[in-house]
Amino acid sequence: MGGLRAAAPSPAPLGAARDPLAPPRVAMACVVASEVATVLAVMRRNVRWGGVRYDGGDGGADEHLDHPLIAGLKSLRRRAAGWGGGGRWRDDVDPLLYLRPFLDVVRSDETGAPITGAALSSLHKMLSLDLVGPAAPNVAEAMGAVVDAVTGCRFEVTDPASEEAVLARVLQVLLACVRGRAAPALSNRHVCAIVSTCFRVVQQAGTKGELLQRVSRQTMQEVIRCVFARLLDLDATMVADEQVRLIANCKGQGLGAGELDNGRSEYVCLNSSGDEVGSGTAVAQDKAMMELFGVPCMVEILQFLCSLLNVAEDIEVNPRINPIDFDEDVPLFALGLINSAIELSASSIHRHPKLLAFVQDELFRNLMRFGLSMSPLILSTVCSIVFTLFYHLRHELKLQIEAFFSCVILRLARVDMELCSNICEDLANLLSKSAFPVNSPLSALNVLASDGLIAVIQAMAERTNNAPRHHHQTMAEISEYFPFWQLKCESNKDPDQWVKFVHQQKGIKKKLMVGVEHFNRDKKKGFEFLQGAHLLPEKLDPHNVALFFRYTPGLDKNLLGEYLGNHDEFSIQVLHEFARTFDFKEINLDAALRLFLETFRLPVILLNTDQHNMRVKRKMTEEDFIRNNRRINGGNDLPREFLSEIYYSICRNEIRTIPEQGAGCSEMSFSRWVDLIWKSKRTSAYIACDSSFGEDTKARMATVAVFTIATTYGDHIHSGWRSIVDCILKLHKIGLLPSRLTGDTADDQNSSDLLPSKLASSAVASPVLTVSAPKRSYGLMGRDCKKCQVGTIFTESKFLQADSLSNLARALILAAGRPQKITGSFDGEGTSVFCLELLITITLNNRDRIVLLWQGVYEHIAHIVQSTVMPCNLVEKAVFGLLHICQRLLPYKENLVDDLLRSVQLILKLDARVADAYCENITLEVARLVKASATHIKSQMGWRTIISLICITARHPDASDSGFETLVFIMSEGSHLSPTNFVFTVEASRQFAESRLGSTERSIHALNLMADSVNCLARWTHEVKEAGGDANRILEGIAEMWLRLVQALRKVCTDQREEVRNHALLSLHRCLVTDGISISSSTWLMSFDIIFQLLDELLEIAQNHSPKDFRNMEMSLLHAVKLLCKVFLQSLKDLSAQSSFGKLWLEVLDMIDRFVKVKLRGRRSEKLQEAIPELVKNVLMVMKASGILSKTKAGENSLWEATWLRVNNILPVLQSEVFPDNDDNNTTPGEQNKLYTPTQSDRNAEQ
């Protein structure tokens, strides 16, 4: 079963292009057919697979049918014969088609070990030959099916040898799954299942042959290496960390997988504790575990491996399970796997917060515990892991590494790691004592210690020769007391300051240790010594005494307990101040108690004594504990779940209050570890002394050489850009780059002259990348960095070859990182901002090749925008950088206009707090974009995006003026109005008209913009008619836009402000009676529905709202009734021929009748009483002149009769005035009962 490669190939991304190295169809079809023949041959060796006879059912002869497993294989062989056509194998063949028959054999419990082994061998061969490629259709489902089938493998055991062979082949197939090019298609759940199954085979191998034991362990090592080697590729493909969610604490729980049954009634569990578990339902329910192969499975695997370290405590050794010695072998095996994982992934762990958090806490805590093992092999492996972590993560593991040296290497654990003794001196003392044999021959330990001591001395000598003069300064004596307990260096980047700070802290530590010895012998003399050394104030106060007790290591805890337990006033005040030095945020109650009680001696609490005192026979139960703590929460009970958690935590882990005598050794307890993790989040940065860099001639020459190569031969650099970018970032961090790294692009033109007044004066300047000036101590290096011309790498990037340019952009994106959730300024923000600015500079300088860069740049900016919930410098640079790119490229890249404007939609997705902080400046930048590129925006999507950003400003007090000014630019005189943006601009104008942020004049201006826009509709109608042809569809669209304009104006006609309301009614009147627009009868009817709705609302406001809220509604009603009559006359010619005209005319009369009868402040309006008769008379005269209204002979549906029935309610004399020659001026009582009722045609028209 060859084909297992020594190293996993780099996995190709899903959906990649066709692989030119993919095997030909004919060859692969032959492979499939050959494997089918092999499995069938093995199956036919047993007569039971020859066939199955079924009764025909009709009394005839039995029918001979193949077993379903054999039928499936035969069907595959026939189908494979048709796969020999042209093309490549993996392009269009679903892997499940040729894998499923073999998987069915593996899953079947009817097959024996030889058959199952043959099917597994076939699967291994097809996976090793990469028949399942990353571009194959349905590849994720296919890989998942393979894992599910193999981890759920079932077979009949005939002899031990065949069973071991099948288990070995299971391991081969699982390894091929994670090694193959299709491995990225696996889900996190399936990767965990593979690791679980491999470990179960390791467990089963304990009772089998030595060969299987070795193979299973080696395979599991290879699987772990393949899994964690992918972490670097996850960085390259920019997999988001927000998908990472830690699974619940898995100590004693399994990773989850299907059963691996070898025919026996029992099966080996998947977890390390030996408890039976199910099929991994808990893991399958976790959404993160269903995602594609990524960080979640790595976190879960590390949790599982850490649980193996505790296996000796949780599992009783079965005497039948031979080779695993649970005192050493299992932890050593787990540590070896952890070491393999860390070696391959340590350089990328810091980019994944959840993975880093696990390493900082649980992993390092287990390393600390096993570092105290008496086994040299375990200690050696632990030290190897810690060294790898130190090399790659020393900045993130500062206190953890310090604690490891103190508790493991030096066996000196301190209460406060920041004030412990000098680690370097203690390490040198330990090596010097072990370097020479005493009363014994020379041993390997002596040689190792001698080598270590020589390495320390050599490093000190090299640093001394290269160190600047300030390293030899001496510290002055402390002349007066100052609060040094939690003092931090003001500037970690300035060697002068932090070297001085270190010397000062070192001197304080030495005197403090002497004071501790005095205090432990005599409290009074101890205080006197500390006061004389100015380590305590001349007059003791409770606060500083509490700080001394809290942060000084080595104090006798018995003495502290006695002092804090005194009842004098000063001791009580010290106790209160002592308690205030603790920060118990995000710490459970029992953990907080452990942390507090371990700092001094206190009588043991009741539950702790009851559970952990051997003399107590009857232990307190959970119910007893809950009952004893009733009504202690201000007279109420604490939550039962809260008390239960405390009960079980104390039962599992005793609260130890044995005092730490002097400065002796003690273990790293749970509470101390909690305290250390808390401090690691707040401690000062890790400082590596590199002050000699600027004075190092070799370093300066190497720097100049690197950037000379980069600027001269950049076309030939590909993956090497990562190293160059890292070098630039280091120079940036220590302030060695020139203050002006890059200028603006050469083809940039200032567009401020396009902007009116405020916009021009407030326009955001084009970005010029500036960095801090070089520091004085790096004078030579600073001058050399200026010579390097680092900025030309980016400003001249337009001359780079396409491949080199793409790699440079990817290197910047990778170096910038992908923070999971940005809640403000964060560590590393400066680096992210710097990389983003360089990335934007490259984009602006390569507008002709923007297609190469745009996708990566857009995704990077999108991640920043969508991950930020609070304003910060990074999101500000991202938003305005995106707008600047759009401003530059829109006039030149017509084929990318829509893509660029679609990217601006990211601004609409900003968190409300972020958008509010930058709204004004965003509006100014959008204004610049519109001014410069309005003629290039053609699509409806593009205008919707721009107008949406402008609409938002209508509700923002700082940005509304700028937003409205931009809208005026678009709509004034219809210069930039078009059918694609007409509806959007009208809606934006309505929002500004309704906004109370601006003045009344601005609202009226917005209404004028809406009213003037009707001229554009008339112009477009004229142009369409002149063009000729089939223009009906276009004219209908123009009529629809007119109707939307009418609807928008109607909404403003009910505004509370009198001037705005009346002007809106006049503007609506203007739009409704305009000429030049082709308006159909159906559109006129819809416009009357809008008018009637408006009149109903105005009547409701006039009658039911306070006049203080809506002033002078009488004038508004007068404008409204005039509008109704004028619009009716305007549409009379088009509507009179319609069957529904009579119904509309009567509705108009009914509405006028309501206006006549409306009462304002308890009486009818005089203005309405005067105006309405004349308006009605005018309408009647027009209808008479046009022949629409005349007396008919007779009929139940006479318009004449219905008209005068309603007109007489308004003013009875109108009939005689309009029709003076009519003999019968009044209708008879009988005719009055013949009301005008709608005909069936009227009803159809209404529908």
Side-chain angles (χ1 to χ4, degrees):
M1 299 305 297
L4 290 177
R5 289 152 292 191
S10 299
L14 293 178
R18 176 183 294 178
D19 185 359
L21 300 179
R25 281 178 176 268
V26 175
M28 293 299 98
C30 291
V31 170
V32 173
S34 173
E35 295 305 313
V36 170
T38 300
V39 176
L40 286 175
V42 175
M43 296 180 72
R44 286 167 176 161
R45 292 170 62 183
N46 193 322
V47 294
R48 64 179 293 188
W49 299 103
V52 180
R53 293 189 178 276
Y54 299 98
D55 189 357
D58 56 356
D62 292 344
E63 182 180 359
H64 182 78
L65 298 176
D66 284 331
H67 189 278
L69 294 180
I70 292 181
L73 290 169
K74 288 183 177 180
S75 175
L76 173 60
R77 183 168 57 185
R78 290 191 297 270
R79 181 175 293 178
W83 290 341
R88 296 291 176 180
W89 169 257
R90 294 190 295 266
D91 288 345
D92 52 12
V93 179
D94 189 342
L96 282 175
L97 293 178
Y98 52 85
L99 292 177
R100 184 173 285 116
F102 298 99
L103 299 180
D104 292 340
V105 174
V106 171
R107 278 192 294 258
S108 175
D109 53 5
E110 300 179 37
T111 57
I115 299 174
T116 303
L120 289 170
S121 297
S122 299
L123 288 173
H124 176 248
K125 183 175 182 179
M126 287 186 281
L127 292 173
S128 300
L129 292 175
D130 280 334
L131 265 69
V132 184
N138 212 19
V139 63
E141 184 178 351
M143 294 300 293
V146 172
V147 175
D148 290 338
V150 176
T151 56
C153 174
R154 294 173 178 272
F155 59 93
E156 295 179 357
V157 177
T158 56
D159 59 274
S162 61
E163 180 185 6
E164 293 184 18
V166 172
L167 293 177
R169 290 192 177 104
V170 165
L171 295 173
Q172 288 180 332
V173 174
L174 295 179
L175 179 58
C177 287
V178 296
R179 267 185 168 175
R181 300 178 61 206
L186 290 169
S187 69
N188 291 310
R189 178 178 67 86
H190 288 121
V191 175
C192 291
I194 290 173
V195 175
S196 299
T197 304
C198 289
F199 179 71
R200 286 164 48 209
V201 175
V202 171
Q203 286 183 307
Q204 291 188 21
T207 58
K208 305 187 186 306
E210 183 178 355
L211 178 60
L212 181 61
Q213 297 173 24
R214 294 178 180 273
V215 169
S216 61
R217 293 195 172 204
Q218 179 64 28
T219 302
M220 190 166 183
Q221 284 275 5
E222 290 296 322
V223 168
I224 295 296
R225 291 192 183 105
C226 292
V227 170
F228 282 86
R230 176 160 169 74
L231 192 61
L232 181 61
D233 295 322
L234 293 179
D235 291 337
T237 55
M238 304 305 289
V239 174
D241 284 340
E242 59 266 19
Q243 294 178 347
V244 179
R245 291 188 302 173
L246 284 174
I247 312 303
N249 186 2
C250 72
K251 182 178 180 180
Q253 297 182 2
L255 294 173
E259 295 180 85
L260 180 67
D261 197 340
N262 60 0
R264 300 181 179 181
S265 59
E266 72 274 8
Y267 61 90
V268 181
C269 64
L270 303 185
N271 63 356
S272 60
S273 65
D275 301 326
E276 291 188 358
V277 296
S279 60
T281 305
V283 175
Q285 290 175 347
D286 193 309
K287 183 179 179 180
M289 300 305 290
M290 304 305 295
E291 301 290 340
L292 291 181
F293 187 178
V295 174
C297 69
M298 299 182 191
V299 175
E300 179 71 10
I301 290 170
L302 283 178
Q303 285 181 326
F304 173 67
L305 296 180
C306 285
S307 70
L308 292 182
L309 296 177
N310 306 314
V311 70
E313 301 177 1
D314 300 332
I315 299 181
E316 294 183 2
V317 180
N318 188 339
R320 294 183 302 170
I321 300 180
N322 162 36
I324 298 185
D325 180 4
F326 286 94
D327 289 333
E328 177 176 309
D329 197 29
V330 171
L332 187 61
F333 176 60
L335 287 170
L337 296 176
I338 293 173
N339 189 33
S340 298
I342 296 299
E343 285 176 342
L344 292 171
S345 62
S347 60
S348 302
I349 287 176
H350 68 283
R351 300 186 185 278
H352 303 279
K354 295 299 182 182
L355 195 57
L356 176 61
F358 180 84
V359 172
Q360 289 174 324
D361 190 352
E362 186 170 345
L363 177 60
F364 224 99
R365 178 160 51 87
N366 280 280
L367 295 176
M368 294 276 291
R369 186 166 66 87
F370 276 86
L372 299 174
S373 171
M374 299 304 295
S375 169
L377 292 176
I378 290 180
L379 178 59
S380 174
T381 307
V382 168
C383 290
S384 177
I385 298 172
V386 172
F387 177 77
T388 304
L389 292 173
F390 168 78
Y391 184 80
H392 293 284
L393 299 171
R394 54 183 175 274
H395 294 278
E396 293 80 9
L397 298 173
K398 174 188 173 184
L399 290 190
Q400 287 86 341
I401 292 172
E402 185 178 352
F404 183 82
F405 270 94
S406 298
C407 297
V408 177
I409 304 300
L410 304 177
R411 301 293 199 272
L412 294 174
R414 304 297 187 208
V415 174
D416 183 70
M417 299 303 171
E418 295 282 353
L419 289 176
C420 68
S421 59
N422 191 295
I423 293 293
C424 184
E425 289 183 4
D426 290 346
L427 179 61
N429 290 334
L430 177 65
L431 293 174
S432 62
K433 292 178 180 178
S434 304
F436 301 98
V438 178
N439 300 327
S440 62
L442 185 68
S443 65
L445 179 62
N446 302 135
V447 175
L448 286 175
S450 299
D451 290 340
L453 187 59
I454 292 172
V456 171
I457 296 173
Q458 183 178 358
M460 293 171 61
E462 291 176 353
R463 187 168 296 278
T464 301
N465 294 334
N466 295 328
R469 185 172 301 173
H470 58 246
H471 276 212
H472 303 286
Q473 58 187 339
T474 58
M475 281 300 303
E477 292 291 329
I478 301 176
S479 58
E480 60 179 353
Y481 171 77
F482 64 94
F484 59 86
W485 305 98
Q486 293 176 305
L487 190 66
K488 291 186 178 181
C489 182
E490 295 180 357
S491 177
N492 294 331
K493 297 182 179 180
D494 187 353
D496 290 323
Q497 291 193 27
W498 69 259
V499 170
K500 179 180 178 181
F501 174 77
V502 170
H503 278 290
Q504 184 185 57
Q505 291 294 94
K506 184 176 179 180
I508 291 174
K509 286 180 183 179
K510 288 184 177 180
K511 291 185 178 181
L512 202 57
M513 291 302 102
V514 177
V516 167
E517 294 180 2
H518 285 291
F519 182 86
N520 288 341
R521 290 195 297 266
D522 189 311
K523 291 182 290 185
K524 184 177 179 180
K525 291 183 179 180
F527 281 138
E528 290 176 353
F529 173 83
L530 294 169
Q531 287 173 304
H534 302 292
L535 298 180
L536 283 176
E538 293 183 1
K539 183 179 180 180
L540 294 178
D541 62 272
H543 177 68
N544 285 291
V545 173
L547 291 177
F548 169 69
F549 288 165
R550 176 71 173 91
Y551 296 113
T552 305
L555 292 176
D556 190 327
K557 293 186 178 180
N558 282 320
L559 294 178
L560 288 185
E562 293 174 4
Y563 190 96
L564 296 175
N566 288 337
H567 296 287
D568 62 274
E569 183 178 355
F570 186 82
S571 297
I572 293 175
Q573 293 178 357
V574 172
L575 176 60
H576 288 299
E577 293 292 336
F578 182 79
R580 291 190 184 99
T581 61
F582 292 86
D583 185 354
F584 296 125
K585 293 179 182 177
E586 301 177 0
I587 300 179
N588 293 335
L589 177 60
D590 66 294
L593 285 173
R594 297 174 197 277
L595 180 61
F596 184 70
L597 296 178
E598 282 194 357
T599 56
F600 58 89
R601 177 66 186 269
L602 183 73
V604 183
I605 59 178
L606 179 60
L607 175 62
N608 195 63
T609 305
D610 179 271
Q611 293 294 323
H612 300 285
N613 192 328
M614 300 299 295
R615 297 181 181 179
V616 178
K617 301 301 182 183
R618 184 182 178 277
K619 303 294 184 182
M620 186 186 303
T621 65
E622 179 184 359
E623 293 298 329
D624 295 335
F625 178 71
I626 295 175
R627 186 167 51 253
N628 292 341
N629 288 279
R630 288 182 297 180
R631 299 185 179 181
I632 63 172
N633 185 22
N636 298 320
D637 292 341
L638 290 168
R640 182 182 182 89
E641 297 79 8
F642 177 73
L643 293 174
S644 297
E645 182 181 357
I646 295 175
Y647 174 82
Y648 287 109
S649 178
I650 295 177
C651 289
R652 287 192 298 265
N653 301 297
E654 179 183 359
I655 299 178
R656 300 178 183 273
T657 59
I658 299 176
E660 177 187 340
Q661 301 294 342
C665 299
S666 67
E667 64 179 354
M668 176 59 72
S669 63
F670 174 78
S671 57
R672 291 188 178 184
W673 182 257
V674 171
D675 188 39
L676 183 141
I677 294 299
W678 179 85
K679 289 178 181 178
S680 68
K681 299 176 182 178
R682 296 161 177 82
T683 187
S684 58
Y686 180 94
I687 304 173
C689 180
D690 57 353
S691 59
S692 60
F693 178 69
E695 315 299 334
D696 192 339
T697 304
K698 291 183 179 180
R700 291 190 286 111
M701 292 176 63
T703 303
V704 173
V706 166
F707 289 108
T708 300
I709 294 172
T711 55
T712 307
Y713 304 101
D715 284 340
H716 306 284
I717 301 175
H718 300 291
S719 60
W721 282 120
R722 288 190 182 182
S723 301
I724 294 175
V725 169
D726 288 342
C727 184
I728 293 174
L729 293 179
K730 290 177 181 178
L731 295 176
H732 167 65
K733 183 175 291 186
I734 60 178
L736 286 178
L737 292 179
S739 58
R740 183 184 176 95
L741 183 59
T742 63
D744 212 353
T745 54
D747 55 352
D748 183 27
Q749 297 178 354
N750 190 354
S751 58
S752 295
D753 56 337
L754 299 174
L755 301 174
S757 60
K758 180 179 178 181
L759 298 188
S761 61
S762 304
V764 179
S766 299
V768 177
L769 189 55
T770 59
V771 296
S772 57
K775 299 180 180 178
R776 295 180 180 177
S777 59
Y778 303 118
L780 293 175
M781 194 65 204
R783 289 193 291 271
D784 288 336
C785 286
K786 289 182 179 179
K787 296 177 183 178
C788 292
Q789 298 182 340
V790 177
T792 60
I793 295 175
F794 308 99
T795 57
E796 302 297 325
S797 59
K798 56 189 174 184
F799 301 110
L800 292 176
Q801 294 292 334
D803 192 25
S804 179
L805 178 64
S806 300
N807 279 279
L808 175 57
R810 281 195 292 268
L812 287 172
I813 294 173
L814 180 62
R818 290 173 67 93
Q820 183 175 0
K821 186 177 181 181
I822 305 174
T823 58
S825 297
F826 58 93
D827 293 337
E829 183 184 21
T831 298
S832 298
V833 170
F834 183 72
C835 292
L836 177 61
E837 289 178 335
L838 292 177
L839 187 64
I840 292 172
T841 300
I842 292 176
T843 305
L844 295 177
N845 280 279
N846 289 272
R847 70 184 187 192
D848 293 330
R849 299 188 292 175
I850 186 62
V851 177
L852 289 175
L853 306 172
W854 177 242
Q855 189 63 29
V857 173
Y858 170 76
E859 290 177 358
H860 182 59
I861 293 177
H863 173 78
I864 295 173
V865 170
Q866 295 171 0
S867 302
T868 305
V869 297
M870 291 294 289
C872 65
N873 193 23
L874 180 60
V875 72
E876 181 182 6
K877 296 292 184 183
V879 169
F880 293 108
L882 176 63
L883 289 171
H884 196 197
I885 291 172
C886 292
Q887 291 168 7
R888 280 297 176 82
L889 299 183
L890 273 179
Y892 304 100
K893 291 293 179 182
E894 293 184 0
N895 60 326
L896 286 178
V897 169
D898 286 346
D899 290 337
L900 292 171
L901 291 175
R902 190 175 291 108
S903 70
V904 178
Q905 293 177 358
L906 288 174
I907 301 176
L908 298 173
K909 300 177 183 179
L910 282 171
D911 185 89
R913 291 164 291 188
V914 179
D916 183 71
Y918 304 122
C919 187
E920 183 176 11
N921 287 333
I922 289 174
T923 306
L924 296 175
E925 287 300 295
V926 171
R928 292 187 65 196
L929 177 64
V930 172
K931 295 289 183 179
S933 306
T935 57
H936 300 282
I937 305 175
K938 307 290 186 183
S939 68
Q940 197 173 50
M941 180 279 302
W943 277 115
R944 182 190 294 112
T945 302
I946 296 297
I947 302 301
S948 297
L949 291 171
I950 295 175
C951 288
I952 292 174
T953 65
R955 302 182 295 274
H956 196 280
D958 298 326
S960 60
D961 289 340
S962 302
F964 184 70
E965 199 168 353
T966 308
L967 184 63
V968 170
F969 173 80
I970 298 173
M971 297 187 68
S972 289
E973 300 179 358
S975 55
H976 295 290
L977 278 178
S978 66
T980 56
N981 67 6
F982 183 89
V983 174
F984 303 132
T985 53
V986 167
E987 179 62 19
S989 299
R990 180 192 66 79
Q991 294 190 29
F992 278 99
E994 293 179 339
S995 174
R996 304 295 289 269
L997 294 177
S999 62
T1000 301
E1001 289 74 18
R1002 196 181 77 178
S1003 296
I1004 292 175
H1005 192 178
L1007 289 170
N1008 290 334
L1009 292 175
M1010 298 171 72
D1012 292 340
S1013 66
V1014 77
N1015 298 329
C1016 292
L1017 298 178
R1019 186 177 75 248
W1020 298 337
T1021 301
H1022 178 72
E1023 293 172 353
V1024 170
K1025 290 180 177 178
E1026 282 190 345
D1030 186 12
N1032 290 334
R1033 184 177 60 83
I1034 301 177
L1035 293 176
E1036 289 175 1
I1038 295 175
E1040 175 66 22
M1041 288 187 277
W1042 174 80
L1043 198 63
R1044 296 286 290 271
L1045 173 61
V1046 171
Q1047 180 69 26
L1049 284 169
R1050 182 205 66 79
K1051 295 179 181 179
V1052 191
C1053 289
T1054 56
D1055 196 278
Q1056 278 188 303
R1057 296 167 292 176
E1058 177 187 355
E1059 298 87 349
V1060 176
R1061 181 174 65 249
N1062 291 335
H1063 196 82
L1065 285 166
L1066 294 175
S1067 300
L1068 179 59
H1069 183 187
R1070 176 183 169 188
C1071 293
L1072 286 167
V1073 300
T1074 187
D1075 292 323
I1077 303 176
S1078 298
I1079 302 174
S1080 63
S1081 301
S1082 59
T1083 305
W1084 274 119
L1085 291 174
M1086 286 188 285
S1087 68
F1088 272 99
D1089 291 338
I1090 296 173
I1091 295 172
F1092 287 141
Q1093 182 183 0
L1094 170 61
L1095 299 182
D1096 286 335
E1097 292 175 1
L1098 290 174
L1099 287 172
E1100 193 274 337
I1101 292 172
Q1103 293 176 328
N1104 299 327
H1105 287 73
S1106 171
K1108 295 181 180 179
D1109 297 332
F1110 292 83
R1111 298 176 52 194
N1112 198 9
M1113 281 298 299
E1114 184 179 28
M1115 184 58 66
S1116 299
L1117 293 177
L1118 182 58
H1119 286 312
V1121 74
K1122 288 181 179 179
L1123 180 148
L1124 175 63
C1125 295
K1126 295 293 180 62
V1127 174
F1128 181 79
L1129 291 177
Q1130 179 76 11
S1131 61
L1132 187 60
K1133 181 179 178 180
D1134 295 321
L1135 295 179
S1136 59
Q1138 300 295 318
S1139 59
S1140 59
F1141 172 75
K1143 181 176 179 296
L1144 173 64
W1145 163 237
L1146 296 181
E1147 288 178 353
V1148 170
L1149 291 176
D1150 289 339
M1151 183 60 71
I1152 294 174
D1153 184 49
R1154 291 177 61 191
F1155 271 69
V1156 170
K1157 297 176 181 178
V1158 67
K1159 292 184 178 181
L1160 302 176
R1161 300 183 180 179
R1163 59 186 179 85
R1164 293 188 177 183
S1165 169
E1166 294 181 359
K1167 294 182 179 180
L1168 291 175
Q1169 296 296 325
E1170 293 174 0
I1172 288 178
E1174 291 298 321
L1175 293 171
V1176 176
K1177 181 179 178 180
N1178 185 37
V1179 173
L1180 292 172
M1181 295 293 291
V1182 174
M1183 294 177 67
K1184 174 185 175 183
S1186 60
I1188 298 174
L1189 183 63
S1190 62
K1191 184 173 178 60
T1192 58
K1193 294 180 179 180
E1196 295 182 354
N1197 298 320
S1198 172
L1199 180 63
W1200 172 272
E1201 297 171 356
T1203 298
W1204 296 114
L1205 182 63
R1206 286 165 171 77
V1207 171
N1208 288 338
N1209 291 332
I1210 299 173
L1211 191 65
V1213 299
L1214 282 179
Q1215 185 174 3
S1216 60
E1217 293 179 5
V1218 177
F1219 292 91
D1221 298 332
N1222 188 8
D1223 294 334
D1224 191 3
N1225 291 334
N1226 297 307
T1227 57
T1228 64
E1231 289 174 335
Q1232 292 180 0
N1233 293 331
K1234 297 177 181 180
L1235 300 178
Y1236 179 80
T1237 58
T1239 62
Q1240 183 61 39
S1241 61
D1242 291 338
R1243 297 191 187 96
N1244 294 339
E1246 181 182 1
Q1247 293 175 359

